[in-house]
Amino acid sequence: MNYADIKRIDVANGPGVRVSLFVSGCTHHCKECFNPETWDFGYGKLFDEKAEDEIIEYLKPDYIKGLTLLGGDPMEKVNQEALIPLLEKVKKEYPDKSIWCYTGYDFENDIKENMLENCEVTKKFMSYIDVLVDGEFKLELKDLNLVFRGSSNQRIIMVKESLESGNIILWKEPER
């Protein structure tokens, strides 16, 4: 897997200060995507043990609330496979830090009804994800007032709670 960027400090893609990994490779090709260069699976740098170690180190400070995966699309099968070792390390080293994942795939139709049923890799991958922002970016539904998403069709889903209950449980922004 290749990656486009690792942001050491990110406040736009999940709550609090986070570390964000922008993976390469996406088959959705959303109109007006904010990162079209990441559609190419070969774009950027090779995601290797050095990049993993860099992320683990960046997550160390107490003020870092977690890791966010986006791109590209982390839910592309080859990306899931490459990310699992990183996710295992993050959960082992920092069990209290959350992992958020952005995907163009729909939680019910693509992930729950297809990928989780037919792909062992997805079962393992999703076991590490706390919050999933699902759905393709849709230009006609773009809304700059939304928190942590670009278009109103996208949802911020609590993964474990949703899978356990069988219903979509949405993340709620903490009151200020």
Side-chain angles (χ1 to χ4, degrees), residues 40 52 54 67 81 89 168:
D40 179 356
E52 272 186 23
E54 191 177 315
L67 173 67
E81 290 168 344
K89 286 180 188 173
I168 297 293

Side-chain angles (χ1 to χ4, degrees), residues 22-142:
F22 292 78
V23 303
S24 295
C26 182
T27 57
H28 302 290
H29 300 182
C30 302
K31 186 177 181 183
E32 297 291 322
C33 171
F34 80 108
N35 242 352
E37 63 276 5
T38 64
W39 295 351
D40 179 356
F41 286 85
Y43 178 78
K45 299 177 232 166
L46 180 65
F47 187 73
D48 56 13
E49 199 168 327
K50 183 176 175 262
E52 272 186 23
D53 292 344
E54 191 177 315
I55 291 168
I56 295 298
E57 186 63 28
Y58 290 166
L59 286 165
K60 198 176 214 171
D62 288 341
Y63 65 86
I64 300 292
K65 298 301 179 203
L67 173 67
T68 298
L69 306 171
L70 58 170
D73 195 328
M75 293 289 306
E76 299 290 355
K77 187 174 186 281
V78 296
N79 290 343
Q80 289 180 56
E81 290 168 344
L83 288 167
I84 285 173
L86 170 67
L87 298 180
E88 289 172 341
K89 286 180 188 173
V90 170
K91 283 299 184 184
K92 183 178 179 209
E93 295 278 328
Y94 309 109
D96 296 332
K97 297 192 187 222
S98 66
I99 299 177
W100 279 47
C101 179
Y102 283 74
T103 182
Y105 290 103
D106 177 82
F107 185 76
E108 291 99 338
N109 298 324
D110 298 321
I111 297 168
K112 202 170 157 200
E113 298 298 324
N114 182 12
M115 297 162 101
L116 281 171
E117 294 290 321
N118 301 311
C119 185
E120 285 301 315
V121 171
T122 301
K123 289 177 188 168
K124 191 165 191 175
F125 181 86
M126 291 298 286
S127 74
Y128 296 110
I129 305 300
D130 298 299
V131 177
L132 185 79
V133 182
D134 82 329
E136 292 184 4
F137 170 74
K138 296 196 182 284
L139 183 59
E140 63 278 9
L141 299 175
K142 181 178 180 178

